[in-house]
Amino acid sequence: MREIVDGLLAWRAAGTSFAVATVVHTWRSAPRQPGAAMAVSEHGEVIGSVSGGCVEGAVYAAAQEVIRTGKAQTHTYGVSDGDALEVGLTCGGTIEVMIRPDAGSPALDDLLAAIAAGRPVATVTVPDAQLVVWPDRVEGTLGDGELDRIAGEQARGLLAHGRSAIVTACEREVFVQSWAAPARMIVFGAIDFAAAVARIGRFLGYRVTVCDARGVFATPARFPDADEVVVDWPHRYLEGTEVDERTVLCVLTHDPKFDVPLLQVALRTPARYIGAMGSRRTCADRVRRLREAGVDEQALSRLRAPIGLDLGARTPEETAVAIAAEIVSLAWGGSGAPLTGLTAPIHGHDRQGSR
């Protein structure tokens, strides 16, 4: 939904009716995760995707019917001999798609505005009803007060972790979709590599901060893709800013007077990823200095240095791709090896379970 929210806001502003199809459940090697969404307007326009092209035609036809009737539908798409190349999923997976009219949400405009602004909100959806769950209030009903209460509590729990899932409440399955604030990427070092990393971080959906103590280099003009540019000593800034389990820290300064105090702080945080740039020699010297500063081996084992996967990268842009690849691999449990020749499932959620 985050991918299509701008289009939905434009349709709402124009008074255009539409239906939204959302993946609510997947099995095996499904092409998109739960929460992937596609919308169809009353004029036949399409935004978004639920399968990367495999079943969009069938979903499009169903969405048009939902617009005409105002009644939600749920469909399951998999592979069968007769429809594998027409309606089914050629990848071998199965997806369940819920298609609802735009009038089905009790607070659609507020919901879309919150998603667009990055404010935390969740929905609890069944085919014929929906709750919108905010950190401080709930709007709508699933038709039963106790179901609303229990499902709302579960939605807040999932929202706190930025997760979407099918859950059971009052012996009924409901789909909870959460939109937490975007995860943070903090890039230290106002260099050309940092500009490329900020660009790919924004592309991946992170809220990007670039930090450097040198004000002449740390300027918004040099980092147009960053959400904010901070002039401060890196370790001091990190000590005073919010870091959670979804945060990504990229240390690109490769200067001991910045790196060592910064990494001492970074390795005490719950950040998901901590990577530091430098040659083998620079990284070895940095680790030695950190040990001398009292950082233990367990903390040092979290440090990814040299930063990134081995792609043979040379340019700042290529290096940013290598860094992004390592971040994605760590998040989903990927090996970083070529898919050719591997037999493990392709999609990360198949390796690690529902996310």
Side-chain angles (χ1 to χ4, degrees):
M1 182 74 87
R2 198 184 295 277
E3 299 171 358
I4 65 174
V5 66
D6 290 342
L8 298 184
L9 285 168
W11 287 349
R12 292 289 286 181
T16 301
S17 296
F18 56 86
V20 176
T22 305
V23 177
V24 298
H25 204 170
T26 66
W27 297 266
R28 298 182 298 278
S29 186
R32 300 294 304 274
Q33 299 174 50
M38 165 181 155
V40 178
S41 79
E42 63 179 313
H43 304 305
E45 300 169 286
V46 179
I47 51 177
S49 170
V50 292
S51 74
C54 299
V55 301
E56 265 69 7
V59 174
Y60 178 82
Q64 289 183 311
E65 185 176 348
V66 168
I67 294 170
R68 287 195 302 270
T69 64
K71 295 181 179 180
Q73 298 181 13
T74 300
H75 297 274
T76 300
Y77 301 98
V79 171
S80 67
D81 292 339
D83 63 9
L85 296 179
E86 296 180 20
V87 178
L89 295 172
T90 57
C91 60
T94 302
I95 62 173
E96 182 177 316
V97 179
M98 186 184 300
I99 309 169
R100 305 182 74 249
D102 61 326
S105 172
L108 181 59
D109 291 324
D110 288 346
L111 172 63
L112 294 176
I115 296 171
R119 297 193 300 270
V121 64
T123 56
V124 183
T125 307
V126 295
D128 56 351
Q130 186 176 71
L131 287 180
V132 180
V133 181
W134 314 85
D136 59 349
R137 71 185 193 279
V138 174
E139 294 191 39
T141 180
L142 301 177
D144 178 272
E146 184 66 3
L147 177 60
D148 291 347
R149 183 185 68 80
I150 294 175
E153 290 176 355
Q154 291 178 311
R156 284 201 176 95
L158 288 170
L159 179 59
H161 294 89
R163 294 184 57 230
S164 300
I166 287 181
V167 300
T168 301
C170 298
E171 300 183 350
R172 185 173 182 183
E173 284 193 340
V174 298
F175 176 59
V176 177
Q177 186 169 10
S178 64
W179 294 272
R184 298 191 68 191
M185 172 184 281
I186 309 177
V187 183
F188 297 97
I191 62 176
D192 50 355
F193 288 89
V197 172
R199 190 176 309 123
I200 204 165
R202 183 170 186 173
F203 174 76
L204 292 175
Y206 287 96
R207 179 176 177 269
V208 180
T209 298
V210 174
C211 175
D212 196 298
R214 303 165 298 176
V216 67
F217 296 112
T219 65
R222 295 190 69 228
F223 300 96
D225 294 296
D227 294 282
E228 62 177 349
V229 178
V230 175
V231 179
D232 199 351
W233 278 84
H235 73 280
R236 185 167 60 190
Y237 172 72
L238 189 59
E239 286 176 329
T241 196
E242 181 180 355
V243 174
D244 61 22
E245 294 82 359
R246 299 187 300 146
T247 302
V248 166
L249 304 177
C250 299
V251 180
L252 309 184
T253 46
H254 51 82
D255 183 333
K257 70 175 178 290
F258 293 116
D259 290 358
V260 174
L262 170 59
L263 288 170
Q264 285 181 269
V265 176
L267 292 169
R268 294 197 299 267
T269 71
R272 170 186 288 173
Y273 176 89
I274 304 169
M277 178 178 280
S279 66
R280 297 282 182 191
R281 182 176 179 179
T282 297
C283 290
D285 178 68
R286 183 192 295 126
V287 168
R288 178 185 61 79
R289 291 171 183 268
L290 287 169
R291 285 196 180 105
E292 291 174 352
V295 179
D296 62 35
E297 296 304 313
Q298 182 176 357
L300 286 172
S301 69
R302 300 178 59 209
L303 178 61
R304 304 275 173 153
I307 194 170
L309 296 186
D310 178 18
L311 304 184
R314 296 290 187 275
T315 68
E317 291 74 19
E318 290 172 346
T319 302
V321 171
I323 294 170
E326 185 173 43
I327 292 169
V328 173
S329 175
L330 181 64
W332 290 105
S335 67
L339 289 171
T340 303
L342 295 182
T343 57
I346 293 173
H347 300 106
H349 59 275
D350 290 321
R351 294 190 183 96
Q352 297 188 334
S354 177
R355 298 181 67 91

